[in-house]
Amino acid sequence: MDNHYLAEIKSSLPRILSLIDSDKTSKSYGVGDRYYWAWGLIDFGNATFQGCAHGFARLWESGLWPYNTDEKVFLRRIDSLFRGTKFLTRKDGSLEEAFPSEGSFCVTALVAFDLLCSIDLLTDLLSDKTRNEYIEIVRPLINFLLKNDESHAIISNHLATAASALIRWDLLIGKDVKATDKANLLLDRIIDHQSTEGWFKEYEGADPGYQTLCLGYLADIYLLRKDIKLLAPIAKSIRFLQYFVHPDGSFGGHYGSRCTRFYYPAGLLALAQEVPEAALISSYMAQSISKNQVVHLSCIDEPNLIPMFNSYAWAASLENSKINDLKPNSQDNLPCHGKHHFRNNFKEAGILIDRGTDHYSIINYKKGGVTYHFIKNTLVKEDSGVVIKSRNGNLGSNHFYDPNQSVSLADDCLVIRNQIAQMPKKLPTLSKFLILRILCLLVFRFSNIREIIKVLLVKYLITKPKLWALWNVRKIQLGNNLKITDQCTLNSGYTKIDLTSNAFVPFHMASQGYWQIQDEYSLSDSKF
């Protein structure tokens, strides 16, 4: 069986290895952010890159490292990444991703998890002295996670990352009651916010792409600590995810809360023997990866590169072990390839799935009616909503989560009425960067103020856009010949914009917009 994950890794590994400062005379020795140590274009180091030690260790331990590298050379590189992490760690134990003194709960958890995995995977190659040194490098990160929290939103994949790091810390050092208690608190928060439909919350709703990342960390906890009883919520989440595998091999999209369409393979593959739907998804998506039909490792930019690389490294090792020799009953068991008509309404997510003889439609009516419509194996309609231009040039749309929207479904006609909101899509400017750096110098060192500002930024950029006194009524006639009509009564000075492509994201979300092969084909070329 071809190892599709390993093929991607071999393609991307030279780029990842080139990120690391290997000059021992450099203060930034072992730092993985080239924009910081090589180009000098930013005034802080994004610590996410340090986590590549995990992927390296996975490949080495499983015999999949593709180069004839001397063991001493390999371990020296791992050591440099630990040293680089120590260099980047702030006095409070935190790490950064976006700006100085960020105090990133997510990235601190991410790097702690990855370094702990590295210690575990390479433990037979490390001396006691080196192992203890590495533990002490990770300790400040763990202490930061124990003392702090992420309060600006419910982002389940972040919480799962921290919980997994704390569980691994507890197992590594023997017994840390505080770490276990904090991990359980974070897991309770994830499960408490899990929908009865199965999805884990990402900001305001379900996002299939990020849910695959979240599953990787939850799978890690489950495999280490089955006494925590995570299998049932994990299985429920996978049963939800199967509906967002598309007939053309893609996955997720603008109907998700974060508009992502990437796929992290490791968590699903790790659970394939225990959850039948995980085996089905993994088997099908492995083929998508090889055909560029889904956003995969080679498509990812550097800020998201390392978590995806580590997921692929784990998936490659699982594929290589033959433990997960997937033999699903039939590809047709996936909802998008089912033989029977059905209509599933996930009311909490606000997502309607409509399967007919030849079509497969996904509609998020809580986001104004974002629609994906497939005929057989082809996406023939992708419509994110209407775009309105105000008198002063700002753009607005109905593509937002609107708690006051009204929805009705009768005679195969879905009707959605929701308000138009301004798109908070702005590019960085010199003045904005100057204000940010002043805040970093003066107030972001105080965690309470920093977290308040993060809450305000999330509301401004994602969850609470400025509402306009305009409403749109979207009518969607379901079926093979799906048809969308919009009625928006415009006030004076407002105009509707006709887009060549109706696929767009209305708010700031860095993880959207990655390429896949379907982007090369115009929906207007379809005969539909």
Side-chain angles (χ1 to χ4, degrees):
M1 180 184 294
D2 293 333
N3 194 326
H4 302 297
Y5 314 107
L6 187 58
E8 275 293 302
I9 287 167
K10 288 180 178 179
S11 176
S12 297
L13 192 54
R15 173 163 65 121
I16 296 171
L17 289 169
S18 296
L19 297 173
I20 307 165
D21 185 356
S22 58
D23 183 354
K24 282 195 171 183
T25 68
S26 173
K27 290 182 178 180
S28 56
Y29 173 64
V31 171
D33 186 351
R34 288 189 64 91
Y35 283 107
Y36 175 59
W37 69 262
W39 291 89
L41 298 178
I42 55 177
D43 53 350
F44 69 99
N46 181 347
T48 307
F49 299 105
Q50 306 309 117
C52 66
H54 176 191
F56 294 167
R58 286 273 181 195
L59 297 173
W60 188 271
E61 186 271 340
S62 59
L64 295 177
W65 186 258
Y67 309 125
N68 187 27
T69 305
D70 185 275
E71 183 178 294
K72 291 181 180 179
V73 173
F74 179 81
L75 291 177
R76 189 158 59 239
R77 182 178 291 120
I78 295 293
D79 185 76
S80 75
L81 289 163
F82 275 84
R83 306 297 168 192
T85 303
K86 184 177 181 179
F87 172 78
L88 293 174
T89 303
R90 296 286 182 176
K91 290 181 180 180
D92 64 355
S94 70
L95 297 171
E96 297 147 356
E97 178 185 27
F99 52 82
S101 302
E102 178 187 3
S104 174
F105 187 81
C106 170
V107 171
T108 305
L110 184 78
V111 177
F113 169 80
D114 287 332
L115 296 187
L116 290 170
C117 288
S118 305
I119 295 171
D120 180 47
L121 291 163
L122 300 175
T123 190
D124 292 340
L125 302 179
L126 303 176
S127 67
D128 289 343
K129 179 177 180 294
T130 299
R131 184 175 180 274
N132 289 333
E133 287 177 351
Y134 290 174
I135 289 172
E136 292 309 310
I137 288 172
V138 177
R139 188 182 296 277
L141 313 185
I142 296 297
N143 287 337
F144 179 83
L145 298 180
L146 292 175
K147 295 175 183 178
N148 294 272
D149 208 340
E150 186 170 73
S151 57
H152 57 276
I154 297 297
I155 310 173
S156 293
N157 82 86
H158 293 184
L159 302 178
T161 309
S164 189
L166 292 165
I167 291 293
R168 280 190 167 270
W169 175 259
D170 173 66
L171 293 173
L172 179 68
I173 68 167
K175 191 68 175 177
D176 188 326
V177 175
K178 290 183 179 180
T180 303
D181 288 347
K182 184 63 177 285
N184 287 330
L185 184 151
L186 296 174
L187 289 171
D188 287 345
R189 191 181 305 168
I190 294 170
I191 302 305
D192 287 346
H193 285 91
Q194 183 181 19
S195 165
T196 59
E197 298 163 348
W199 48 273
F200 297 115
K201 192 172 184 180
E202 292 286 329
Y203 288 102
E204 293 177 302
D207 188 83
Y210 266 111
Q211 189 163 321
T212 62
L213 175 59
C214 182
L215 277 170
Y217 297 111
L218 295 180
D220 184 73
I221 296 172
Y222 168 71
L223 294 172
L224 291 171
R225 292 280 308 275
K226 292 191 177 182
D227 58 297
I228 295 180
K229 308 296 183 184
L230 281 177
L231 185 59
I234 284 174
K236 183 187 288 187
S237 75
I238 293 172
R239 287 193 289 271
F240 174 79
L241 275 185
Q242 66 179 325
Y243 288 93
F244 306 103
V245 178
H246 300 159
D248 66 349
S250 59
F251 182 87
H254 292 164
Y255 52 77
S257 64
R258 301 184 68 179
C259 299
T260 62
R261 56 183 188 177
F262 46 49
Y263 172 77
Y264 286 81
L268 286 149
L269 194 61
L271 296 162
Q273 297 301 312
E274 300 190 59
V275 183
E277 293 84 359
L280 284 168
I281 296 171
S282 295
S283 179
Y284 181 68
M285 293 308 298
Q287 299 301 316
S288 294
I289 289 168
S290 68
K291 298 175 183 177
N292 290 321
Q293 292 173 333
V294 68
V295 173
H296 53 65
L297 182 59
S298 294
C299 309
I300 298 294
D301 59 356
E302 289 182 358
N304 276 334
L305 179 63
I306 301 309
M308 182 71 82
F309 167 66
N310 292 339
S311 182
Y312 269 65
W314 187 14
S317 67
L318 290 168
E319 189 80 10
N320 191 60
S321 69
K322 301 299 181 183
I323 293 175
N324 285 296
D325 188 11
L326 302 182
K327 295 179 180 179
N329 293 330
S330 170
Q331 174 180 295
D332 287 342
N333 286 339
L334 282 170
C336 68
H337 288 116
K339 297 178 180 178
H340 303 290
H341 298 189
F342 69 85
R343 186 172 290 168
N344 275 15
N345 185 4
F346 295 105
K347 293 183 179 180
E348 293 177 21
I351 297 177
L352 180 71
I353 309 290
D354 184 57
R355 168 70 185 173
T357 304
D358 294 318
H359 75 271
Y360 193 74
S361 305
I362 304 173
I363 302 164
N364 190 325
Y365 50 82
K366 284 192 175 180
K367 294 182 73 178
V370 178
T371 300
Y372 277 52
H373 182 61
F374 299 85
I375 296 293
K376 295 184 178 178
N377 295 331
T378 303
L379 178 65
V380 298
K381 186 179 288 293
E382 180 183 357
D383 194 320
S384 296
V386 299
V387 177
I388 306 298
K389 187 176 183 179
S390 71
R391 59 176 62 87
N392 58 4
N394 290 323
L395 296 181
S397 176
N398 63 331
H399 180 179
F400 285 96
Y401 175 78
D402 182 358
N404 298 315
Q405 47 79 30
S406 64
V407 180
S408 64
L409 176 60
D411 299 326
D412 293 333
C413 184
L414 180 67
V415 181
I416 307 145
R417 182 182 186 272
N418 73 324
Q419 198 164 358
I420 303 296
Q422 185 169 309
M423 298 187 194
K425 299 171 71 171
K426 298 184 184 297
L427 292 173
T429 63
L430 179 60
S431 60
K432 290 176 184 176
F433 263 106
L434 180 60
I435 291 170
L436 178 61
R437 287 304 181 264
I438 291 172
L439 290 173
C440 291
L441 286 170
L442 299 180
V443 300
F444 280 178
R445 298 178 186 277
F446 303 97
S447 60
N448 291 339
I449 298 176
R450 184 176 64 216
E451 292 307 309
I452 289 172
I453 292 175
K454 286 182 182 179
V455 170
L456 295 175
L457 285 173
V458 166
K459 287 182 178 180
Y460 172 69
L461 294 173
I462 302 174
T463 62
K464 299 294 181 182
K466 180 181 179 182
L467 297 175
W468 291 353
L470 301 174
W471 281 261
N472 185 72
V473 176
R474 168 162 282 203
K475 295 181 180 179
I476 304 174
Q477 189 66 42
L478 302 173
N480 269 25
N481 299 315
L482 182 143
K483 183 180 179 181
I484 298 175
T485 58
D486 290 295
Q487 294 180 335
C488 186
T489 304
L490 301 177
N491 298 335
S492 177
Y494 291 85
T495 56
K496 183 178 178 182
I497 304 297
D498 292 323
L499 302 177
T500 304
S501 168
N502 246 35
F504 63 91
V505 175
F507 47 73
H508 172 79
M509 188 54 62
S511 298
Q512 58 81 27
Y514 293 117
W515 177 90
Q516 59 191 29
I517 193 65
Q518 294 91 333
D519 295 342
E520 302 304 300
Y521 310 112
S522 171
L523 297 183
S524 62
D525 293 338
S526 171
K527 295 180 180 179
F528 175 73

